[in-house]
Every structure is written in structure tokens, then in C-alpha cells.
Amino acid sequence: MDLALVAQVLNRRAALARSERLRPDQIAERRARQVRGLREFALSRSSFYTRFHEGLERAPLADLPILTKADLMAHFDQVVTDPRVTRSALTAHLARLAEEGGDPGRAWRGRWWAAATAGSTGEPAVLAWNRGEWATVLASYARAMRWADVPLGPTHPLRLAIVSSLVPSHQSAVVGATSRAPFVETLRLDARTPLADLADSLNHFQPRVLVGYASALRALATAQLDGRLDITPQTVMSASEVLSSATADVLTAAWGRLPFDVYAATETAGIASTCSVGARHLYDDLLIVEPVDADDRPVPPGTPSARTLVTVLFNRTVPLIRYALSDRVTPVAEPCTCGLPFARIGPVGGRAEDTLAGVGGLAGFDPEVLRPVIEAFPVARWQVGAHDDALEVLLVVERPFDTSRMVDRLNRVLPPGAGRHSHVGHTWRRV
């Protein structure tokens, strides 16, 4: 247990709470200073940014070039601002953790915490954070807890269960391993564990807060509803996967309260989460989010983006300035009644890489439009693919049901030409 890190996290969490009491214009002024400081630091310490932003040193942020994951990894050793942090050394460290085990919460070389993206978009990335930066990462996740009205601190002990990944290179595993504190009792469970075993562990532990992937939480909620799980969490939080309204309804039915949703990425840590009234607010004091269209122009409120650009204001070890995430987000113009001064976004959509090409002659088809239909049925897992110029929907169901009703509803939401005669296959498995 790193008590010095715990103290830093608590101090950083308190500072974030204070920033939530600022006016939007004060936040904008602070962000402008933070961006200037970040850019000056990157230009003075990173040979990559010296070249990448050459001639643009005084240009507005929106005029700077976009950093892709491929750019980051191809030039990683030039992007970083500390020569002791190299791609090969980080990769070797994470590989050793995976092969030999060990504590992912222990600082690499006593100085940095490291994690890798899952590579679900086709290109994994490695990241590193120094002590102060990692304290901010942890504080960003603690903010989601506070917005969910979960008291946390020496006078408010917490029983926290996390159902996610135990792969030591995954950020959720590193966060879980470094979240240990005298007042936080944590149970970390692998989302791939058989449901019966998960239920046994949770029934014994009786968490006050339950955090997990949306798909894992839905399976647990189904078990709660049919009596195989018997827990009474004060708060349920979904993270790392799209939380559909249908899944949120199942979770609400199981535990009597609407789940809180956390939007995060390995590269950024917390990006947004839901407030006390269920609206998603960006963490405007930690990063700048730019939802853009296919031509990288800002999208207006109410319009889903083609991708999302992020500038992480607190990270200096691996500066990320206008870094491209493939997530689709929708800016929201209406203010929120909760009083937070931060901008809002709607539900987070899927990634650009999830788009299917060539379905029914369409240039691209986003399977996310099917989610509300599919998850309105008792479905535990689902997958959409293209087969013989049509869509194929594969399901793992919680209980048998007549899939013809689903096919009829799917055909109503499919755009013209997108496989009106698509096949829906399902496997019955008690989850």
C-alpha cells in the first residue's frame, strides 16, 4: 500500500471538487492556461512535438494537427518527455507482468505506472504516468464515485467490488491494484469468470458499490432478478462498455436504482460520467474534448461525431494533444439542473472501427443502431457481422424467446438495402 499515493489522490480529489464550484468562464480561462503550459512543455521536452507543431507554436489548438494512435506508437520515444521511458522498455515490463504475474499496482522502476490499451481498434498502445499524473488518474475515477454520492475517505470505509479485467496491463487492473487504502476494501473479479462463481463471491462480499462492464452487470442483474444473486449495492456503476437504455433498465429493476455510467479511455482516464440527475458531464478541468465529423470539423449539438479528439491537460510524461479516439459522442447544448459547470454529452456510441462495410451495398453500417432493439430482449451477449451481403446477428440469450419478433423490429430500423433478410441465430445458455 502506497500511503503517499493515497494522500496525493485525496488531495487531488479535493482539488477537483473545488473546480466544480467554478463558473464556466473561470473553467475556460483555467483551461486556456493549462493548454498553454502543456504546449510549452511538450515543445521544450518532446522532439516529436517540436517537429509536429513546427510553425504552429502560436496557432489555436483547433489548428494543430491530429495525433493518431499509429503516430503515437511509431514515434513513442520522441513523443515522451523523459528519455528513461521508452516503448521497448514499457512493452517488456507489461509483457513480464503478463507472463510472470506480479503486482500491477507497483510503480515501474519506482517512478511510473504503466498500462496498455486492449487493441480492440487494431492497434494497441502503451502509456505511462508519473506519480502526480497517476494520482490524477485515480482521482478522476474517484470523481465518478463522488458524483454518484458515494462517500469515500478515512471516515467512510467502502466495500467495492469491480468486475472487469484482471489482465495486469489493463488500466482497470492497475487502477484496482493502486486503489487499495485502509478505508477501501476491494474485491476484484474477472468478468470472464463463470456467473455462478461471480455470484458466490459477491454474495459473500456484499459490496456497497458494484462497478463493472455493462455486459457483466447485465448478467449479474439477471441473476439477481431470478434469485441466484442476493446483494444490495448502494450504487452500481457501468464502465468501459456502452451502457444501453435497455441494459440500464435491467440493472434498475434488479437493484432499485438507476446505474451511473462512466466514460473513460486508457489514454485519458475518466472523460465523463453521469451526475445525480443522470446527465453525462465531461471532465472539462482535466481534458479538452472535440467531437468532430468525418472531415474533422466540430459537430453541432445533437449531432453524433465521427470520432473524438482529446487533449489531456494533466499528462506531461506522454503528452497527448488533439489525440484521436474513434469513439462517437454527441454534444448536448442544454444546461443541466445539477449545477455542474461542465459541458454535457449524450450517450456514447460505438467506435468507428466497428462499422461494417459493404453490407447491402452501403458504404458503412454502424451496428450500434441495433443495440436498443437487441437489448430489449433477454440477450446476454450479441455480435453482428456481414455474411453474403447481409447482416448476421448472433446471440447468447438469457432465456429462450421467439426471435422472429426481434427480426421484425430489426428490419424496421435497418436502412434500405442493409440486409432485410438478415439471419438471427441464437444459442441458449443460462447466464
Side-chain angles (χ1 to χ4, degrees):
M1 183 186 307
D2 191 330
L3 293 180
L5 179 62
V6 171
Q8 277 188 287
V9 173
L10 292 175
N11 288 335
R12 191 71 186 106
R13 182 172 178 264
L16 294 182
R18 289 192 295 272
S19 73
E20 294 162 14
R21 297 192 290 270
L22 298 176
R23 298 188 310 270
D25 64 303
Q26 292 174 314
I27 293 173
E29 183 180 343
R30 174 188 285 185
R31 278 154 53 100
R33 292 196 303 270
Q34 290 174 305
V35 168
R36 285 196 299 271
L38 171 65
R39 292 177 63 181
E40 290 170 1
F41 188 90
L43 287 171
S44 66
R45 302 288 187 91
S46 165
S47 59
F48 172 82
Y49 279 109
T50 301
R51 296 190 307 272
F52 200 46
H53 290 175
E54 186 176 3
L56 299 169
E57 292 83 0
R58 297 186 180 278
L61 181 68
D63 290 345
L64 297 180
I66 292 168
L67 177 68
T68 66
K69 187 182 292 186
D71 293 332
L72 172 64
M73 295 315 297
H75 305 284
F76 186 86
D77 291 357
Q78 291 75 50
V79 172
V80 297
T81 60
D82 191 315
R84 294 170 294 182
V85 179
T86 65
R87 178 178 179 176
S88 60
L90 268 180
T91 302
H93 162 68
L94 294 171
R96 282 194 300 272
L97 276 180
E99 294 170 5
E100 303 171 7
D103 182 5
R106 179 175 297 176
W108 171 57
R109 296 180 175 174
R111 292 176 177 270
W112 299 279
W113 282 265
T117 65
S120 58
T121 60
E123 174 108 26
V126 294
L127 283 302
W129 301 264
N130 64 27
R131 178 175 291 272
E133 294 160 353
W134 189 248
T136 302
V137 168
L138 296 178
S140 77
Y141 291 118
R143 161 179 273 169
M145 291 276 190
R146 194 166 49 77
W147 285 8
D149 199 26
V150 177
L152 177 64
T155 60
H156 295 92
L158 176 65
R159 293 176 68 81
L160 169 67
I162 304 173
V163 186
S164 61
S165 173
L166 296 187
V167 175
S169 62
H170 196 283
Q171 192 185 69
S172 64
V174 187
V175 168
T178 51
S179 296
R180 294 187 294 260
F183 47 87
V184 180
E185 186 177 357
T186 304
L187 174 66
R188 296 176 55 235
L189 299 171
D190 194 320
R192 299 170 298 179
T193 302
L195 184 60
D197 295 335
L198 289 177
D200 285 344
S201 297
L202 290 169
N203 282 336
H204 177 73
F205 185 71
Q206 289 296 314
R208 182 158 66 90
V209 175
L210 175 63
V211 180
Y213 299 153
S215 56
L217 293 177
R218 177 163 181 149
L220 290 168
T222 300
Q224 178 86 16
L225 290 170
D226 66 21
R228 291 175 287 154
L229 179 66
D230 185 17
I231 60 175
T232 55
Q234 170 191 331
T235 302
V236 177
M237 305 187 74
S238 172
S240 300
E241 291 180 351
V242 174
L243 176 65
S244 69
S245 58
T247 293
D249 289 344
V250 175
L251 271 55
T252 302
W255 292 300
R257 49 183 55 86
L258 191 69
F260 287 83
D261 191 23
V262 181
Y263 171 37
T266 301
E267 298 95 327
T268 61
I271 298 175
S273 59
T274 47
C275 66
S276 58
V277 298
R280 288 176 184 80
H281 292 267
L282 293 169
Y283 293 174
D284 282 337
D285 51 351
L286 293 178
L287 67 166
I288 293 174
V289 175
E290 301 176 70
V292 295
D293 63 16
D295 296 317
D296 293 320
R297 297 171 302 193
V299 298
T303 302
S305 67
R307 63 176 176 173
T308 302
L309 311 180
V310 293
T311 297
V312 183
L313 298 172
F314 64 88
N315 202 355
R316 298 292 188 271
T317 302
V318 186
L320 297 178
I321 302 173
R322 302 202 83 204
Y323 177 78
L325 296 176
S326 56
D327 302 339
R328 297 184 175 98
V329 304
T330 303
V332 173
E334 294 79 13
C336 183
T337 59
C338 73
L340 285 170
F342 301 146
R344 290 177 55 195
I345 58 172
V348 179
R351 290 173 168 166
E353 289 83 0
D354 295 333
T355 301
L356 300 175
V359 177
L362 298 177
F365 174 74
D366 185 1
E368 280 298 313
V369 303
L370 307 181
R371 183 184 293 274
V373 174
I374 294 172
E375 295 191 357
F377 291 85
V379 174
R381 303 284 192 277
W382 61 279
Q383 185 179 60
V384 176
H387 181 69
D388 291 336
D389 199 34
L391 293 178
E392 184 174 49
V393 183
L394 303 178
L395 311 173
V396 175
V397 302
E398 297 165 351
R399 62 179 182 273
F401 66 91
D402 180 4
T403 57
S404 64
R405 293 173 53 235
M406 176 185 286
V407 171
D408 180 62
R409 294 187 187 181
L410 289 175
N411 282 335
R412 295 178 193 173
V413 302
L414 289 173
R420 290 281 174 171
H421 302 290
S422 299
H423 171 70
V424 176
H426 72 279
T427 299
W428 157 242
R429 185 181 75 195
R430 187 174 187 181
V431 297

